[in-house]
Amino acid sequence: MSSLKARMLARLREQMQRLEKPGIADRRALSLGPASIDDALPSGGLARGCLHEVSGPADDAAAYGFVASLLGRLTQAGGVALWCRRRRGDRGPYGPGLARFGLTPARLIVARARDTAEILWAMEEGLRSGRFAAVLGENIAPDLTATRRLQLAAEACGTTALLLSPPSEKTVNRLSAATTRWRIASVPAERPERPRMSLTLERCRGGGSGAWNVEWNHEALHFDLAAALVDRPMAAVS
Amino acid sequence: MKRYISIWLPHWSTDRWRRFHDHDRDSPLVLIASAAGGQSITAVDSRAQAEGLHPGQRLADARAVVPQLHAADADPLADAQALGRLADWCGRYTPWSSTDGDDAITLDITGCAHLFGGEAALIADLVHRLSRFGVGARAASADTPAAAWAWARYGAHLEQEGPILAAGQSRERLAALPVQALRLPTEAVENLRRLGLRGIGDVMDLPRAPLAARLGREILIRLDRAFGVEAEAISPRRPPALWRARLAFVDSISQREDLDRGTRHLLDELCCALEADGRGARRLELAFYRVDGSVQIVEIGTSQPTRDATHLARLFAEKLGTIAPGFGIETMILGAVATDRLAPRQIDLATHATSSMEGLAPIIDRLQNRLGRNAVVRLVPVDSHIPERAVVVAPAVSRGRTDPSPERPRPIQLLAAPEPIEVIGLTDAPPSSFRWRHSEHRIVQVEGPERVAPEWWRKGDPATRDYYWLQDSTGRRYWVYRDLKRAAWFLHGLFA
């Protein structure tokens, strides 16, 4: 009887928290889909209310697909994501493409800043307001202090922060206070509808590392482990 | 009943010159400009005037009369700009101020005088403050701007009568003034003099039709304006805010904390007034009046009407750093320049947090006030087949549209402008390899074409395009198209 009461109480608490702040509606870790990836992360998924860093090679948009899928999952419960980027650029996130990765444009607000300092400011403001389900900074490579500030702001309000750092050799050894660091690259897909990418967990606080090939399912909106290139003419490669 | 003050600055140009130049106050000063046949005087100070000098006189002639005369170059443009700033400064008395000619300022003080202890006290305070800035001024109040102007120049010096033309007294008291007080052109005054009409009292009761026939309609218009029969259209320098709050300090303040506290006080007051009228602020202006007579103004905007003083205070806090208090700030005035209807609302506990846009307005405002007015946006889908037109950038507060995800794969990054690529392949067939930004991409897989026809109803529309999904040997996926009119290939986007 008392355990039933305790469970009810826990559920009510959770509901109240959800009413109070949409940003921390759900503090459980964010599942990335395949169990083998979730298991490699200490919290059984991508920890919410932390800073995660994502990068990829130049002129490869796979990292965009990855973060769009994360933002899509984070805003599923009804929140809004804040995407902070530079005002000028030769390319920008494209709504229909984001929607294919589960991030509907209605759940996205884009803040266009003049420089890196303004992007960092906007991210921190967004995180500390506690009003967003997630906050992303595009194409910046902040130093250790700046990432620590972001990490603290994310922790304080329980909002997940993402850094889409620029593709550069320098970023590999850059010090960062991010909880996890991912490197995402395109890998050959069989069909346009099922894009594939390789996820490399380069660093994870309290966890290990790993690499997976995944395939995006835009109907079910989740990643599946990709059958390891068996269909490709491997003979030609070897 | 409307009330106006006209401030006459008889020696504005020379007073202004003295403010910026350390010059011996006892020697007469004139400002000069080059004219045909030598330099001539454009402005004289009170001392030079006492010596009998007057504008229009040759400098050489004036020097002959007053050898110790100091002459400086006139700068009419700077004079006019400074007069505008002085009119802004008069905003400490009323939101409605305007420059009048090149040596006068008009204030609409309807309903404002009681804040300063009545009209007499207001005028005394105004003249005293101006004299502290080294600006000689004469001010008078009346029912119309024209009457106040006349009284300031021609009536107020009558010591026993005082600067105030009480309501309804214009007619009888202006009658004693000369006709020049009507602001008539010189030839009209000359004509009147020839007819033996020297005072306003002589002309105001004459039959109107013969008067107009003889001297032109101008004189009737001037009379009507002075007596309030015809309204005079004068626009204020800044649109006056309908909702205002004012805070004057006995001792001037300069500490940042004091500015914050003052701002908060004003916001509380203003928000109460807005609530009473069912309005919410969209744009607010906070003016700081410094003791040295300059004014600094900061402005904030909100994405949705609001009267949340805490939120507005936070928006102002970002901007207060730009305020330089100088020797101190003596008055702060907050005005709601733009407002929208905002119905009083009960706080509904159940829906308070779940209406997500509602909760976002404060943070959007904060971002917008720092990053710029159009910096916080949404990507709103639009019905168009042309890829670059399928998304428009809209203000963040607009309602987002939830569209089903597109049927066909779409790139996640779109280039700002399609970039030409060099392709290798057969004509009319998808390329087997292409070169983009100095690197070669060997294509291993192709999907397409997807034909996008131009929207013929729009002018200057792009040609028909055939889009292809290409995957190169490393697995990167591109969106390229062939422009059928130009028979050229372009890269338009990158797939994840």
Side-chain angles (χ1 to χ4, degrees), chain A residues 82 121-132 135 157 159, chain B residues 363 367:
Chain A
L82 177 69
W121 174 86
M123 287 184 73
E124 198 170 329
E125 286 294 319
L127 290 168
R128 293 215 180 267
S129 75
R131 294 293 179 184
F132 293 105
V135 174
C157 284
T159 308
Chain B
I363 176 66
L367 294 172

Side-chain angles (χ1 to χ4, degrees), chain A residues 29-212:
Chain A
L30 187 74
S31 166
L32 287 168
S36 61
I37 306 181
D38 289 345
D39 290 345
L41 296 158
S43 41
L46 212 58
R48 291 172 197 249
C50 291
L51 174 70
H52 303 283
E53 211 174 309
V54 179
S55 69
D59 293 333
D60 185 344
Y64 279 80
F66 183 65
V67 295
S69 78
L70 294 182
L71 293 180
R73 301 281 299 279
L74 286 163
T75 56
Q76 223 166 20
V80 173
L82 177 69
W83 184 306
C84 309
R85 64 191 308 269
R86 232 166 286 250
R87 197 165 296 177
R88 310 229 167 271
D90 63 341
R91 64 191 83 170
Y94 187 51
L98 296 174
R100 293 278 292 192
F101 276 87
L103 177 61
T104 53
R107 301 230 156 273
L108 180 68
I109 285 177
V110 180
R112 301 188 291 184
R114 276 172 282 259
D115 51 29
T116 309
E118 279 196 349
I119 295 181
L120 289 171
W121 174 86
M123 287 184 73
E124 198 170 329
E125 286 294 319
L127 290 168
R128 293 215 180 267
S129 75
R131 294 293 179 184
F132 293 105
V135 174
L136 177 138
E138 180 189 332
N139 206 9
I140 51 170
D143 60 7
L144 183 64
T145 320
T147 51
R148 190 167 286 149
R149 281 188 71 108
L150 291 176
Q151 169 72 25
L152 287 174
E155 275 172 12
C157 284
T159 308
T160 311
L162 298 176
L163 259 187
L164 193 51
S165 34
S168 158
E169 306 314 314
K170 273 182 284 178
T171 60
V172 177
N173 295 319
R174 192 169 53 82
L175 287 173
S176 167
T179 307
T180 65
R181 191 146 85 193
W182 298 82
R183 196 165 177 81
I184 315 292
S186 295
V187 293
E190 287 169 33
R191 298 184 284 149
E193 290 79 31
R194 292 274 187 273
R196 283 186 185 179
M197 51 185 81
S198 70
L199 315 182
T200 312
L201 181 58
E202 288 186 330
R203 224 198 63 178
C204 174
R205 205 191 290 165
S209 57
W212 302 268

